[in-house]
Amino acid sequence: MTQPIWKNGVKILLVTAPPDAMKMLPLQPMIRLLVDRIAHTLRDRVWTVRLQWGPPSTATSVAGQIAAGATVQAAVSSPTPPPRTLVLDPNGRVSGQLHQFLAAFDQTYGDELDLLVLDPTELFSQRPTEVNHLIVASMRALEVGVCVSYLVSTAAEWHAAAFDLGPTNDIEILPTVLLRPMPIPDHVGEDVMAYTDKLTTAWSSAQNMIDALSVAPLVRMREGIQATVSLWEAGFVFLRTGAGSAEFDLNDAWPINAIKLRVPFSLLEYLTERRGPVAWDELPIPGEAQDQAESTFGRWARGVTARRVGVALGGGGALSYVAVPLLRDLKAAGIPVDIATGCSFGAIVCAYYSTYGDQGLDRIVKHWYAAQTTVLWGFVTSMPFQFWLDVDLGFRQIQDLEINFVPVATDARSGLEWPIRAGVIGQTCSASGAVPPLAPTYEGTRRLLDGAIAAEVPAAIAVFSGSNMVIGCNVIPLAADTGAEPDLFPRPFWTAVRSLNPMRRLYDFSRAYEMLYRQCSASQAEWANVTFVATTQNTSAGDFWKAREIIDEAKVSRNMAFAVDQARQVWLELQLHTAERVRFKDVGDDVFLVGDGTIAGPEAGDVGFIEDDVLLPASTAFLVRVAHFLRDAPWARLIVHVWCTGERNGAPPAEAIARRDVVVAALLNAGVESDRLAPCIHFGLALARESNHIDLQLRLDESGAPQAPSRRYELAS
């Protein structure tokens, strides 16, 4: 049979850590759980190979089996699966042995698998200081993609990675940070926020005022005293953290594209004591820890397979509240967020979301009054603004957050965007929102201004931070038309009056800021896969008290629905990208096509649809590649199978017919001759695997057609 339309063999992933960490980490069961997440949530075809030391005879037989894979397949009647273990001769040239194995593995199984995971844990027992260097050396100059997920828990371990791994010219190194348990926040100031919440709620309606006055005076006095004491305690903590002027050594910061994992301690403890295989449904950890673990390993799986999702939230004061329903709708659509970048108030939305998740979004809306008050203080000093954020977010630092949070400021000296990688949340967000004439923020001697000046929607920073898919949010709407001014007589007199009006000048100054920021958002638009453009009306950047009104208006916006739908489509395509090729599965005399442009199962591929008569863009591109293949393979014709869950009066459902017709039309438009196509519809529960499931099947028409060895094996780990 002819070669695949696009061949890019199995991607190789090495999961490892510094030698000292290997003694403490239960890395082998962690790899098993990671592989499970990749296989079941991302639907990749993954194979794991454990590396071991052994006698030369054993090592030679395993390597020889892979090197002669095609001969072995042809010589046996039943398919031979890849090996689960590779035995290396410690007295030979280890890197050469492993390099030969990896090259032969790709040659033999590259069209069958998406990812090969190497488990090196058993090698560290004999030569711990050389293992990483030997494995990395063996992976150089391979024809396939190679990446190393290098687990570290301290910045010093990461800085020493170059000595441990050796030269990594053509190998992707993924800094994978094992975060310690989230530090228990200093709850100083909690009574302040609780007390002010009650005060603002009391003024919101007459009934709330009556309820507030009904509280006993002594109770209210005691609450006031507690809030005052809490305020002083928070003030002392604020001073201890540098009062908004602390310096942070960037050598202690994680790389901007780090994958951050916070594995529950209860899970690590169980995996350390466990002997034998582990499975997600057998983990004896509490439900909350189970959810956290699945979320963490899912983030790891997306990181090592290049499927990380980032958001880039623009700044615009209160207008940035439109990002709240956007983040909620993305979660409802099943789209995760691994990286959050933002500038100005968009950075603050990111900070709350990265710290508390959905609860953080509720919290930032509830505390609109704090934003309204502290922003006004910004004309004098940014310290009240920083103090509010630190109190509300527990004096946390951005490098301790599992979602990779990167606030973006503007370097006043160079005029370029400046991603902030370390620091207390209050100080970093203050730097990101220091719009002139508000007070600037200093990072050492570097003066930082509002990030929206250089990058209103910091999508490029999101990409540099490791995002493979970026969802931008431009919160600045088109400026509202103010209408024509009346033509009054005498005209020269009224023209002079209007031009001298100071309030009119301030109004134009404010509108000019918004217009310029909206235009600035286009500077990085090409870096975003999807951009939501707000259409908020009748509100301005200073209307924090209209937070819920801004959110409600954005929630029903057509632009919001369109952006979320686009994001869902791009996320689906990203999930299916695997190795960007069409793969082949042989079943008897028939060959199934399975491609990255399809919703790929292990034996067949179904084409994805937006609606019954609208194909996903990735599926359209996939069908074009199929058409190119058919032009080079005159020995084959294509059968379009449509599977239905039932029949209606003896006829297939209309949506099944529509889907069949749109697939056939796409193939004809791509140049496939009609006599090469054989569309058919199957219905009935016995045949249906999924509602309106589409299979593309190649049938060999000529007896002299090239044959391919059959390789069907179980992928269970």
Side-chain angles (χ1 to χ4, degrees):
M1 100 184 257
T2 61
Q3 291 297 312
I5 298 168
W6 184 280
K7 183 175 187 306
N8 183 8
V10 60
K11 180 179 180 180
I12 300 172
L13 169 65
L14 170 65
V15 180
T16 189
D20 292 339
M22 295 295 292
K23 300 176 183 177
M24 306 172 59
L25 281 176
L27 192 58
Q28 193 165 78
M30 289 174 66
I31 292 175
R32 293 191 182 118
L33 294 178
L34 170 65
V35 167
D36 178 89
R37 290 295 86 186
I38 296 173
H40 289 88
T41 64
L42 300 176
R43 301 175 69 180
D44 281 2
R45 294 175 62 78
V46 192
W47 195 267
T48 306
V49 172
R50 294 189 299 273
L51 306 180
Q52 298 176 348
W53 299 118
S57 58
T58 308
T60 302
S61 64
V62 174
Q65 175 186 344
I66 295 298
T71 304
V72 172
Q73 294 287 351
V76 296
S77 57
S78 60
T80 302
R84 286 289 183 187
T85 303
L86 173 63
V87 181
L88 300 171
D89 179 9
N91 300 316
R93 186 169 173 266
V94 176
S95 59
Q97 298 173 44
L98 186 52
H99 181 89
Q100 180 188 10
F101 170 84
L102 296 176
F105 190 99
D106 171 59
Q107 184 68 27
T108 308
Y109 303 103
D111 290 338
E112 300 292 315
L113 300 169
D114 297 313
L115 187 67
L116 168 64
V117 181
L118 298 179
D119 179 0
T121 52
E122 297 178 32
L123 297 183
F124 281 84
S125 59
Q126 293 187 24
R127 301 162 66 172
T129 59
E130 301 178 20
V131 169
N132 286 328
H133 194 283
L134 291 172
I135 297 177
V136 170
S138 71
M139 294 192 291
R140 298 191 199 111
L142 289 173
E143 296 181 356
V144 296
V146 177
C147 69
V148 177
S149 182
Y150 194 71
L151 278 68
V152 296
S153 56
T154 65
E157 290 178 340
W158 171 248
H159 294 319
F163 303 98
D164 186 29
L165 299 176
T168 56
N169 299 336
D170 53 352
I171 298 174
E172 180 184 11
I173 305 298
L174 300 173
T176 308
V177 179
L178 291 176
L179 297 174
R180 294 179 173 81
M182 176 66 81
I184 298 176
D186 292 319
H187 287 290
V188 294
E190 281 291 325
D191 292 332
V192 178
M193 301 307 299
Y195 191 69
T196 51
D197 284 347
K198 292 178 181 179
L199 292 178
T200 54
T201 304
W203 288 97
S204 61
S205 68
Q207 183 60 47
N208 288 347
M209 179 62 72
I210 294 173
D211 295 340
L213 293 175
S214 65
V215 178
L218 289 178
V219 173
R220 189 63 73 211
M221 183 182 298
R222 184 168 63 249
E223 291 177 348
I225 293 173
Q226 290 175 347
T228 303
V229 173
S230 180
L231 181 64
W232 279 100
E233 291 177 346
F236 284 122
V237 175
F238 184 64
L239 292 173
R240 195 169 65 242
T241 58
S245 61
E247 288 191 57
F248 296 91
D249 187 354
L250 289 183
N251 290 324
D252 295 331
W254 300 118
I256 194 171
N257 64 333
I259 302 172
K260 297 180 181 179
L261 310 176
R262 179 168 279 113
V263 183
F265 179 77
S266 56
L267 176 60
L268 288 176
E269 189 176 38
Y270 169 75
L271 295 180
T272 303
E273 298 174 354
R274 173 74 174 177
R275 297 292 182 270
V278 294
W280 281 104
D281 55 357
E282 299 175 356
L283 298 178
I285 58 178
E288 184 176 350
Q290 174 95 5
D291 294 340
Q292 169 65 27
E294 291 186 3
S295 174
T296 295
F297 277 82
R299 180 170 291 108
W300 193 6
R302 293 189 294 275
V304 297
T305 59
R307 292 182 174 102
R308 301 169 79 186
V309 180
V311 293
L313 305 186
L319 297 175
S320 296
Y321 277 117
V322 301
V324 171
L326 176 64
L327 290 170
R328 287 173 174 161
D329 287 355
L330 291 176
K331 180 178 180 181
I335 303 172
V337 174
D338 303 301
I339 297 162
T341 64
C343 58
S344 195
F345 205 79
I348 298 171
V349 176
C350 289
Y352 273 84
Y353 187 72
S354 300
T355 305
Y356 292 121
D358 288 340
Q359 295 180 356
L361 299 179
D362 296 334
R363 198 175 185 119
I364 193 175
V365 176
K366 183 179 180 181
H367 293 161
W368 64 264
Y369 60 85
Q372 189 85 62
T373 305
T374 56
V375 165
L376 292 176
W377 269 100
F379 289 97
V380 180
T381 175
S382 62
M383 289 181 63
F385 183 77
Q386 298 177 41
F387 181 71
W388 157 56
L389 287 175
D390 285 336
V391 168
D392 211 13
L393 297 178
F395 291 91
R396 288 184 170 92
Q397 301 195 20
I398 62 174
Q399 57 266 40
D400 290 331
L401 302 178
E402 188 172 4
I403 292 180
N404 194 8
F405 170 44
V406 184
V408 180
T410 298
D411 185 349
R413 179 179 178 181
S414 66
L416 300 176
E417 60 266 37
W418 182 261
I420 304 173
R421 294 163 46 200
V424 183
I425 290 178
Q427 180 182 353
T428 59
C429 288
S430 176
S432 180
V435 54
L438 299 183
T441 301
Y442 280 84
E443 186 182 77
T445 59
R446 186 184 302 276
R447 190 168 83 260
L448 299 177
L449 305 177
D450 194 312
I453 298 173
E456 162 64 13
V457 179
I461 300 297
V463 173
F464 297 148
S465 301
S467 302
N468 306 104
M469 166 186 171
V470 179
I471 303 166
C473 178
N474 180 8
V475 307
I476 308 293
L478 279 172
D481 189 345
T482 58
E485 297 189 5
D487 189 6
L488 301 176
F489 183 81
R491 186 177 297 170
F493 171 77
W494 287 108
T495 300
V497 170
R498 289 165 178 162
S499 63
L500 294 173
N501 185 348
M503 298 306 297
R504 171 65 67 180
R505 293 186 184 187
L506 287 174
Y507 179 68
D508 289 341
F509 176 77
S510 173
R511 280 169 55 86
Y513 246 128
E514 293 185 5
M515 295 174 191
L516 290 173
Y517 277 0
R518 180 180 173 83
Q519 292 301 108
C520 181
S521 67
S523 64
Q524 297 191 9
E526 68 272 14
W527 294 91
N529 301 87
V530 178
T531 300
F532 163 62
V533 181
T535 57
T536 315
Q537 297 296 323
N538 305 318
T539 51
S540 65
D543 293 339
F544 292 95
W545 58 280
K546 290 185 177 180
R548 289 182 173 82
E549 180 181 330
I550 294 172
I551 290 172
D552 291 341
E553 185 177 352
K555 192 185 305 181
V556 297
S557 163
R558 293 181 61 184
N559 281 15
M560 176 76 75
F562 182 70
V564 173
D565 188 63
Q566 275 190 312
R568 184 187 296 110
Q569 177 181 323
V570 176
W571 169 236
L572 178 61
E573 294 173 15
L574 184 64
Q575 285 180 286
L576 304 174
H577 87 285
T578 59
E580 291 295 336
R581 66 175 185 273
V582 174
R583 296 174 291 157
F584 294 86
K585 285 296 296 181
D586 300 297
V587 184
D589 291 334
D590 303 329
V591 184
F592 281 104
L593 275 73
V594 183
D596 75 289
T598 69
I599 304 172
E603 303 296 339
D606 46 342
V607 178
F609 292 82
I610 301 175
E611 299 173 357
D612 288 336
D613 57 350
V614 181
L615 281 165
L616 283 171
S619 297
T620 303
F622 168 67
L623 293 176
V624 170
R625 297 204 300 272
V626 171
H628 291 168
F629 174 79
L630 288 174
R631 286 202 292 268
D632 297 332
W635 46 268
R637 66 188 177 97
L638 189 69
I639 304 176
V640 180
H641 293 282
V642 183
W643 304 84
C644 310
T645 54
E647 57 181 293
R648 298 175 184 173
N649 300 323
E655 58 267 25
I657 298 175
R659 292 193 169 195
R660 176 202 62 190
D661 292 345
V662 74
V663 170
V664 171
L667 290 167
L668 293 174
N669 290 336
V672 179
E673 298 175 0
S674 58
D675 59 353
R676 304 285 300 281
L677 298 176
C680 59
I681 294 181
H682 308 281
F683 50 85
L685 295 177
L687 293 175
R689 285 168 288 181
E690 187 177 336
S691 176
N692 298 330
H693 177 97
I694 303 284
D695 283 345
L696 301 181
Q697 184 183 23
L698 281 179
R699 183 168 296 278
L700 312 183
D701 276 352
E702 299 178 10
S703 58
Q707 300 292 326
S710 175
R711 294 192 288 271
R712 301 179 65 188
Y713 37 80
E714 180 61 42
L715 288 179
S717 55

